Amino acid sequence: MKKKYITLGLVLLLTASYGQEKVTEKADQLFENYQYVEAIAEYQKLAEGKNANAYVYTQLADSYYNVFNMTEAAKWYAKATQNKTNAETYYRYAQTLKAMGNYKEANKQMDTFAALIPNDARAKEHKANPNYIPSLTNRSKMFDVATTNINSKDQSDFGAVLTNDNTLYFVSTRNTSRRTDKWANQPYLDIFEATRNSDGTFSEPKPVSELNTAFHDGPVTISNDGNTMYFARDGHSAGQYERNKNNVKVGQQGIYKATKVDGKWSQIEALPFNSTTYSVTNPSLSKDGKTLYFASNMPGGMGESDIWKVSVTANGYGKPENLGPAVNTPGKENFPFIAEEDILYYASSGKQGFGGLDIFKVDLKSTEPAQNLGKPVNTEKDDFSFSFNKSQNIGFFASNRNGMDAIYTAIPICSAEAIAIVTNKKTGTLLSNASVAILDAKGNTIATKQTGSEGKVRYETDCETAYSFQVTAPDFETASFPVQKVKSGEVLVEAPLTPVEVIITDKEVLLNPVFFDFDKSNITEQGANELNKLVTVMKNHPTMVIFVKSHTDSKGSATYNLRLSEQRAQSTVQYLISKGVEKERISGKGFGNTEPKSNCTNCTEAQQAQNRRSEFIIIKK
C-alpha cells in the first residue's frame, strides 16, 4: 500500500506517448483513475488479442509496475521495447530487471536509455559507473536487520517512527473492515500505535482513532517533545480533490498538523501549501522543530517526486524549497527522515541501487554525495521509510522483500573511530611527527602512530569503551588525553602540547623537581616528563656536559640513604643515555640526605618529598 505514497499521483506521467484508440478506452480510464488491478485485467485481454500493440504492452507493463509486480512488468516491458519506444519505458524496464536481480540485462536497457537522453542525471550516473553492483555488495555492513512482531499477515505495514517515550507510530492496511482502495485492492491506510517493550518487542497495535478517516491517513512525524504531529492524509477526507475528464474524483496527498491535548490528538489543521493539483506527503520534522521535510511532485521539482523542506515559524510556514540535485533525481525520491546533525535518510529509485527503491543517507551540511545504505537494509525489492531514534540507537524501515510491505529494525553496526588532532598549545599550529599512543582503560599501550602534516592520527576503536591518547613530540611536554566513549561514529580529541621551556642558568639546568617514590629509585612518569626536557636541552646544546646530583629524604640511616641516592643518580643517568644523550656528557652521584632542600627537624611529608630529588649541574656549556 506504499504505492500511492511513492508515486504521489504521478502515474499519468507514466503513460506512453502513443495515440489512444477506441478499443483501449475502458482500460485507459481505469488506468487514469489509478484502478490498476482492474486496468490490468482489461489490458491483458487486449494484449492477448488482435488489438495488441506497443501501446497496450506499455500500459499493461506500467500497470504492473505501479502495483510493484516486477515479474509481470518485465514480461510486458520486454514486448513493448521490441520496437523503439520512449526513454522512460527503457528506464522502468531496467528497474524491473534490477528488482529481479538481472543486472546484466538491466545494464543493456540502461545503455539504451542513456543513448536516448544522455544529459539526464540518471544516464550520466550510469555511463560513469555502469557496473556498480559489486562495490555496493562489498561495502561494509552498516546495520544488522531483524523482523518485528508488529507486522500483519497479508497486509501492508510501513512508515514506523519511534518517539522518545517508546511509542511506535506506523501505518497499516490491517483493518480489513475498511473500504478497499482500488489502486492495489487493499484497505485504506490507518495510523496505528504500539509500545516498545524493554525486550524490543511491541504491544498489540491499536488504531489512533482520532486521526483515522475513511480514506488514507499517515505516515506521521512527531515533535521532539511528543506534543505535535504532522501527518499525511488523502485529499478526499477533506474534500480536497478535482474531477478528471471521466468525472472521477482525484484526490492528492496533503500534510496536516495535530496537537496532543489531554492525551488525544486534536486541533487538526491543513498546511497552507497543500494543493488539489499536486501532492505533499510523508513529512519529517527536524529535532528543533524549525524545519519540515516532505515529498512532493509540486512544480519546480526535478523528477517524478522530490524531497522538499519548509521552515516552521511561530507565524506559520515559509516557502517550500527543493533540496536540489544532491538529493533529487529525475526519478522518484520519497520518504524523507531528518535525523540529528542534519543527516537525511530517504528512498530513491533514481540513484544507483540494487533495484526498486533503495534507502540512501546524505549529510546536508556536507558536499559528499548521498550514500546507499547497502545490504542488508537494501535489497533488489523496495526498501523505504527509514527512521532512526538516536537515544535508543535503533532504526526502522519497511521492505517488500518477502512479498508484502513489512517493518524491520535496523541496528547500527558498532564502528567507532578515535581521531587525535595534535597542536602546539601556545601557537595553535598543527604538529606533524608527533607520536600518539592509544592506551586501554588500564593504561596498556595498544598501538602507536605518528601524526601526518595535518597533525592527525586515526584509530579504529570498540564502541562504548574507554581509551586515552598519550602524545609525545620533540621539544614538547608529554601529555595524556582521555578518549570519550561513543556508541558509533567518530570522536575527535584535541591534543594541545605545551612547548618545553627550561631555564638554563650559569650553573644548572632548572627543571621542575624530578621526584622519586619513597624507598624507590625507578623513574616515575612525572620524572620522565621532566627528564625529556633535559634531553631536548642537551640536543640543542651539543657541547653541554651535565652532572646529576640525587638526594634522599631524612628517613632511614645515612648509609642507606647514600646508597639509595646513588641508585637514583644512576637511574637518572641511564634514562638520559637511553634517550640518546652520549654517556660522555652525563654523569651522576648520590648525596644521601647530606644536602636537604628543606632543612627541617620534624619534616612533613611534603618537605620529605622535596628532599627526594635530582639536580642538574652544568659542568660545561
Side-chain angles (χ1 to χ4, degrees):
M1 186 49 68
K2 65 177 174 298
K3 294 87 177 174
K4 193 162 191 174
Y5 290 80
I6 294 171
T7 51
L8 297 171
L10 298 168
V11 291
L12 294 178
L13 300 176
L14 302 178
T15 307
S17 58
Y18 298 100
Q20 297 185 27
E21 301 177 12
K22 191 71 174 178
V23 293
T24 66
E25 184 176 2
K26 181 179 179 181
D28 292 340
Q29 286 183 3
L30 292 168
F31 184 96
E32 291 175 11
N33 294 337
Y34 316 129
Q35 298 178 26
Y36 298 118
V37 175
E38 294 181 25
I40 286 169
E42 295 300 322
Y43 286 126
Q44 192 88 38
K45 295 174 187 176
L46 296 171
E48 294 172 352
K50 63 181 181 179
N51 293 308
N53 56 32
Y55 173 77
V56 170
Y57 295 148
T58 301
Q59 290 293 93
L60 180 54
D62 283 348
S63 297
Y64 276 119
Y65 184 86
N66 286 324
V67 295
F68 295 84
N69 184 335
M70 296 304 185
T71 301
E72 287 297 314
K75 171 184 172 181
W76 296 105
Y77 280 136
K79 286 183 174 292
T81 55
Q82 287 177 356
N83 298 306
K84 188 173 182 180
T85 184
N86 63 71
E88 285 299 322
T89 300
Y90 290 103
Y91 183 79
R92 292 194 299 277
Y93 186 19
Q95 291 298 97
T96 62
L97 291 167
K98 288 179 186 178
M100 298 164 64
N102 189 348
Y103 296 112
K104 183 177 181 180
E105 185 60 33
N107 268 0
K108 292 181 181 179
Q109 303 306 318
M110 284 298 297
D111 288 342
T112 304
F113 168 75
L116 290 173
I117 46 174
N119 292 325
D120 185 282
R122 296 165 295 175
K124 291 179 180 178
E125 191 174 40
H126 169 73
K127 288 187 290 186
N129 187 19
N131 299 308
Y132 63 88
I133 291 297
S135 63
L136 280 186
T137 303
N138 295 329
R139 179 173 294 168
S140 296
K141 186 168 69 168
M142 299 172 66
F143 295 90
D144 281 324
V145 167
T147 58
T148 65
N149 70 319
I150 205 167
N151 296 309
S152 54
K153 185 179 180 181
D154 300 327
Q155 297 296 327
S156 290
D157 302 299
F158 63 95
V161 290
L162 183 67
T163 65
N164 292 332
D165 66 354
N166 274 323
T167 301
L168 188 83
Y169 289 91
F170 67 101
V171 293
S172 177
T173 61
R174 65 184 63 204
N175 185 358
T176 55
S177 65
R178 296 284 304 278
R179 61 189 296 181
T180 298
D181 182 359
K182 293 183 180 180
W183 181 297
N185 202 30
Q186 280 193 317
Y188 280 88
L189 291 165
D190 278 343
I191 301 169
F192 285 79
E193 64 179 349
T195 300
R196 184 171 183 257
N197 303 315
S198 58
D199 63 357
T201 61
F202 292 92
S203 65
E204 184 66 25
K206 58 183 181 180
V208 185
S209 56
E210 64 266 33
L211 295 177
N212 294 324
T213 66
F215 297 94
H216 291 300
D217 298 288
V220 312
T221 183
I222 309 290
S223 63
N224 205 40
D225 64 8
N227 294 323
T228 302
M229 174 189 289
Y230 291 90
F231 65 100
R233 171 173 282 179
D234 194 309
H236 289 93
S237 300
Q240 299 295 312
Y241 56 81
E242 291 185 350
R243 294 182 181 273
N244 66 10
K245 62 182 180 181
N246 301 313
N247 202 34
V248 174
K249 298 175 182 178
V250 178
Q252 303 287 346
Q253 294 292 304
I255 297 177
Y256 295 75
K257 177 184 176 183
T259 304
K260 184 173 280 189
V261 179
D262 297 329
K264 294 289 185 181
W265 295 106
S266 61
Q267 302 177 12
I268 297 172
E269 58 185 57
L271 268 57
F273 47 87
N274 291 346
S275 174
T276 58
T277 59
Y278 56 80
S279 285
V280 290
T281 188
N282 296 333
S284 180
L285 185 65
S286 62
K287 297 305 177 204
D288 62 7
K290 295 180 179 180
T291 308
L292 185 69
Y293 295 80
F294 60 93
S296 179
N297 62 324
M298 66 173 57
M302 299 180 61
E304 295 180 43
S305 60
D306 283 20
I307 309 298
W308 298 70
K309 70 176 181 178
V310 67
S311 60
V312 180
T313 68
N315 299 320
Y317 304 89
K319 181 179 178 181
E321 300 175 47
N322 189 285
L323 293 194
V327 172
N328 295 313
T329 71
K332 299 185 185 77
E333 277 69 47
N334 211 319
F335 297 100
F337 178 82
I338 188 67
E340 295 182 33
E341 299 172 348
D342 287 335
I343 302 298
L344 178 73
Y345 295 90
Y346 65 103
S348 175
S349 69
K351 292 185 177 292
Q352 289 184 330
F354 292 102
L357 288 168
D358 273 25
I359 299 169
F360 292 79
K361 75 170 185 176
V362 63
D363 184 347
L364 297 179
K365 305 186 303 298
S366 169
T367 58
E368 291 295 314
Q371 181 180 11
N372 188 299
L373 293 194
K375 291 182 177 290
V377 171
N378 289 320
T379 64
E380 292 78 14
K381 306 302 181 182
D382 288 315
D383 310 288
F384 59 102
S385 70
F386 188 96
S387 68
F388 193 79
N389 185 298
K390 185 175 181 179
S391 64
Q392 301 291 340
N393 198 39
I394 187 172
F396 296 89
F397 70 100
S399 176
N400 67 349
R401 62 190 62 186
N402 292 319
M404 294 296 299
D405 299 333
I407 295 170
Y408 296 79
T409 60
I411 306 297
I413 299 295
C414 178
S415 176
E417 189 176 39
I419 304 171
I421 304 176
V422 184
T423 58
N424 182 321
K425 186 175 183 179
K426 192 171 183 179
T427 65
T429 56
L430 298 169
L431 295 182
S432 60
N433 298 317
S435 177
V436 181
I438 185 167
L439 284 61
D440 64 19
K442 295 181 178 180
N444 300 311
T445 299
I446 300 170
T448 303
K449 295 181 180 180
Q450 302 296 121
T451 57
S453 59
E454 295 182 345
K456 290 183 181 180
V457 296
R458 296 173 177 266
Y459 284 103
E460 291 185 5
T461 60
D462 295 329
C463 297
E464 299 287 6
T465 304
Y467 297 91
S468 64
F469 286 136
Q470 187 175 71
V471 187
T472 60
D475 303 329
F476 288 86
E477 296 184 18
T478 297
S480 295
F481 304 91
V483 179
Q484 170 189 343
K485 292 181 181 180
V486 293
K487 290 183 178 179
S488 186
E490 294 181 347
V491 56
L492 296 177
V493 179
E494 300 285 348
L497 295 186
T498 302
V500 172
E501 295 179 354
V502 180
I503 298 174
I504 304 173
T505 70
D506 290 337
K507 295 182 178 181
E508 62 181 311
V509 176
L510 297 177
L511 304 178
N512 292 320
V514 178
F515 296 131
F516 292 89
D517 292 331
F518 172 70
D519 199 31
K520 301 290 185 181
S521 62
N522 56 289
I523 303 298
T524 64
E525 181 179 357
Q526 179 273 340
N529 290 337
E530 291 304 310
L531 291 177
N532 289 339
K533 298 177 185 179
L534 181 59
V535 172
T536 300
V537 169
M538 295 187 74
K539 287 183 178 179
N540 291 336
H541 298 79
T543 63
M544 181 179 284
V545 178
I546 293 291
F547 176 65
V548 179
K549 297 178 66 176
S550 288
H551 307 271
T552 68
D553 56 32
S554 61
K555 298 177 183 179
S557 67
T559 301
Y560 172 80
N561 286 337
L562 192 62
R563 184 174 66 252
L564 179 60
S565 64
E566 180 66 21
Q567 292 171 349
R568 289 176 174 174
Q570 296 312 314
S571 292
T572 302
V573 168
Q574 290 302 310
Y575 180 86
L576 294 169
I577 291 172
S578 75
K579 293 296 182 179
V581 176
E582 296 88 345
K583 62 182 180 180
E584 295 81 11
R585 299 174 58 206
I586 186 75
S587 61
K589 183 180 178 180
F591 289 82
N593 61 345
T594 61
E595 297 181 6
K597 193 174 185 70
S598 295
N599 197 1
C600 52
T601 302
N602 295 315
C603 299
T604 65
E605 180 53 36
Q607 289 171 323
Q608 297 284 28
Q610 290 289 324
N611 290 332
R612 297 190 295 268
R613 72 196 189 281
S614 289
E615 297 171 315
F616 307 95
I617 308 303
I618 299 174
I619 303 300
K620 178 184 177 183
K621 280 194 174 182

